[in-house]
Amino acid sequence: MRIAVLMKAVPDLVEEIELTADRTGIDREYLKFVVNEWDAQALEEALLIKDANGAEIVAVGLAEDPEIDAVLFTALAKGADTALKITDATFGARRQAAVVSVAARAGLLAAYLAAEPADLVITGVQASDDLDGQLPARLAAILGLPHVSVVVSLTSEEGSLTVRQEFAAGRSHELFVQSPAVIGVQSARQSPRYAPISRIRQAMAAGEITELTVSPFLPGPAPVLRGLKLPEVNNQAEMLSGDAGAVAEQIVGLLRARGLLKE
Amino acid sequence: MSHNVMVLAEHTGNQVADGAQELIGKARELAAGLGGLTEVVLFGPAELASQLSGADIVVSMEHPALVDYVPEAYEEAFFEVLAQRAPRLVLMTNATVGLDLGPALAVRWEAPLASYVSRIAIEAETVVATSQILGGKLLAEVELPGERGIVTVLGGAFPALSGETAGAPEVISLAPVPKLDSLRMSLSRVIEADGGDVDIAAAEMLVSVGRGIESEDNLEIVQELADALGVPLSCSRPVVDARWLPKTRQVGQSGVKVKPRAYLAFGISGAPEHLEGMRNAELIIACNSDPGAPIFAVAHYGTVVDLFDLVPELVDRVKS
């Protein structure tokens, strides 16, 4: 079975976000990009299937994504068989340097997957910068494949997939799905495995990322960005001052005043 | 094309989901601005329509494959609804069904889509939406060009419409589409949430932990505080996704909505998903190293001291 795991990097949410001067993009100069956390879960679920049944895993990213090499080398170090970086043949012609829209991303990945089909396409259920919808369902609709998102368990047996789709408050549905299919993973059956630095270095030294240029499918209508802004820092919170001991003292006082501490 | 605004009303078994009335309330306002009506799409048992208020038109389709949410079944059914009803705008929740269905319909119906939306307005007949991206750290204002659009709305973004039912809605029943009989997926079972070890919704106070706790081993530190206070430990979504705590401990739109007398948040930045689950707590005290974290917009008291310094100090004082 051939599994394509689609991966991207997103701004590290612990970093402070700054806008470009024209307010249509984020200033990337000092921003750290890390693997989209749900893509890391998607890779783990693919690796678990490979561990159980054997599979060929190709980790796929877009060349224009910042830090994508690091993401793909890590995927190789964890057990992906190959890694592929796709360049958009039309890149530069129409696209601003802002965030790549999900529609454009889906158009490019769909063109690749139409040419080189996978038995199973797995990716993160969402990314924190999905302005125009999420990748799994968009991609599946373009390819005409069945899809299930918000998946917390995925197993495969002879062309039939068993997936568990999660809803609010922990309720879930177990579905049988024919492959090929596109699955959007919320969380893997176990925490993403650790990739030893030595293995990542090995993968980097071997330079095992294949590059491919693809002409994308047309992305269809997309929202038009008017502008970005940082949320007003509407800090209604009264900030407690002092060191940890002083702050702890004040918090205990607040709880005691409300009768919430058992004396 | 009509000027109507359409809402997908999700349901679980015989119960329409909470979010439906939030969407219907907003749809009525937008429909008024567009000079159209409010249509509510309801798959599954037709009698569920009695639980809705505010719909001018209820569009239904009944088929065994539509009793519970099955992605392909809903997609085929909804695509048929869109083809027949041609609404101006479609609203869905930015939760499982909206994430799964919205982008697929955007492709097939050839409509622009905006996700993570917390504000929608009509400006000169153009739909303008504001999306909260990067975990709520950035707002993107977008226009949906053309004569149709889909918006997935964050839970809690709009107040729920209640009470005002202006007469019974017109009910339009569509014939099931043939594709519902040849789906490539089937529902094998519905798994209800297990009760879990504790009911965090019933707790008077919660000690809650987020991404800032950094590792599973560090949970011990906050667990000690929870134990000292005699309250449960809860968390935000990343902690559950990492499998450090069970789903039953997750506060948020996709977890459990809580309203304790006090909510102590450690290392939680306050993504919209989380805020939706706890913003109504009577007292919110948040500890996060980033002074710009969205959690401070809902917290009553805040601190940026390191949680690993603060929590042991709290434990000492609570114990003494």
Side-chain angles (χ1 to χ4, degrees), chain A residues 49 60 65 75 94 100 102-103 109-110 146 148 175 187 191 198 202 209 211 219 224-225 227 240 244 247 256 260:
Chain A
I49 291 174
V60 183
D65 284 349
R94 61 185 161 78
V100 185
V102 178
L109 290 164
V148 185
L175 299 153
S187 60
S191 283
S198 60
Q202 271 174 28
I209 299 177
E211 297 191 31
V224 178
L225 185 65
L240 303 172
V247 170
R256 182 170 290 128
L260 288 164

Side-chain angles (χ1 to χ4, degrees), chain B:
Chain B
M1 182 203 77
S2 75
H3 296 289
N4 294 355
V5 179
M6 179 174 274
V7 165
L8 173 65
E10 296 174 29
H11 68 278
T12 304
N14 287 319
Q15 188 67 41
V16 172
D18 285 347
Q21 291 300 137
E22 293 175 14
L23 297 185
I24 292 171
K26 190 66 187 176
R28 286 193 73 80
E29 178 197 318
L30 295 170
L34 290 162
L37 299 172
T38 301
E39 300 192 25
V40 177
V41 177
L42 190 60
F43 298 130
E47 60 268 23
L48 290 179
S50 65
Q51 293 176 30
L52 299 168
S53 68
D56 299 311
I57 298 170
V58 172
V59 183
S60 75
M61 188 184 291
E62 282 193 73
H63 186 278
L66 295 170
V67 171
D68 288 296
Y69 179 73
V70 173
E72 192 181 18
Y74 266 54
E75 185 181 318
E76 295 300 340
F78 209 135
F79 186 59
E80 176 69 12
V81 168
L82 294 173
Q84 293 206 21
R85 302 296 308 161
R88 173 70 183 79
L89 182 66
V90 176
L91 308 184
M92 295 185 210
T93 57
N94 197 87
T96 300
V97 174
L99 298 186
D100 206 15
L101 202 53
L105 291 172
V107 170
R108 294 184 60 182
W109 193 41
E110 297 181 22
L113 177 147
S115 50
Y116 305 121
V117 168
S118 59
R119 179 183 173 274
I120 315 170
I122 308 294
E123 294 180 15
E125 297 187 4
T126 299
V127 177
V128 180
T130 303
S131 298
Q132 289 187 14
I133 55 173
L134 298 179
K137 286 191 146 187
L138 194 59
L139 301 177
E141 189 177 72
V142 297
E143 290 177 11
L144 300 184
E147 297 188 328
R148 51 176 72 165
I150 302 175
V151 172
T152 59
V153 176
L154 292 169
F158 306 121
L161 177 81
S162 60
E164 42 182 296
T165 313
E170 178 189 354
V171 177
I172 298 174
S173 297
L174 301 185
V177 284
K179 275 197 174 165
L180 292 173
D181 296 315
S182 58
L183 298 174
R184 293 166 291 180
M185 63 179 68
S186 61
L187 179 66
S188 69
R189 63 189 172 119
V190 175
I191 304 159
E192 297 297 339
D194 54 20
D197 45 354
V198 286
D199 179 7
I200 58 171
E204 185 173 56
M205 174 162 39
L206 288 168
V207 170
S208 207
V209 64
R211 200 192 294 273
I213 195 68
E214 293 169 5
S215 77
E216 185 169 13
D217 291 345
N218 289 341
L219 279 179
E220 232 173 79
I221 301 166
V222 279
Q223 182 69 57
E224 198 182 347
L225 176 61
D227 292 345
L229 289 164
V231 306
L233 184 63
S234 60
C235 63
S236 62
R237 205 216 68 242
V239 174
V240 169
D241 282 351
R243 308 263 168 184
W244 297 342
L245 284 173
K247 183 81 185 172
T248 47
R249 302 290 186 113
Q250 183 192 330
V251 173
Q253 188 191 0
S254 66
V256 181
K257 292 183 185 178
V258 299
K259 198 181 166 186
R261 288 186 60 203
Y263 188 81
L264 311 183
F266 297 96
I268 294 176
S269 66
E273 132 79 28
H274 187 73
L275 300 186
E276 167 64 4
M278 46 65 77
R279 62 166 74 243
N280 294 323
E282 285 176 38
L283 172 68
I284 300 170
I285 303 174
C287 169
N288 194 292
S289 56
D290 175 7
I295 188 86
F296 293 125
V298 301
H300 303 95
Y301 296 91
T303 173
V304 292
V305 302
D306 194 316
L307 80 91
F308 297 107
D309 295 330
L310 176 61
V311 174
E313 296 281 353
L314 280 168
V315 171
D316 285 350
R317 282 166 178 76
V318 171
K319 279 185 174 170
S320 63

Side-chain angles (χ1 to χ4, degrees), chain A residues 2-6 56-60 112-113 118 120-123:
Chain A
R2 183 167 183 274
I3 305 176
V5 180
L6 313 180
E56 180 208 337
I57 298 176
V58 54
V60 183
Y112 158 68
L113 288 164
L120 181 55
V121 179
I122 312 181
T123 190

Side-chain angles (χ1 to χ4, degrees), chain A residues 214-226:
Chain A
V214 171
S215 292
F217 293 163
L218 286 176
V224 178
L225 185 65
R226 275 188 174 180

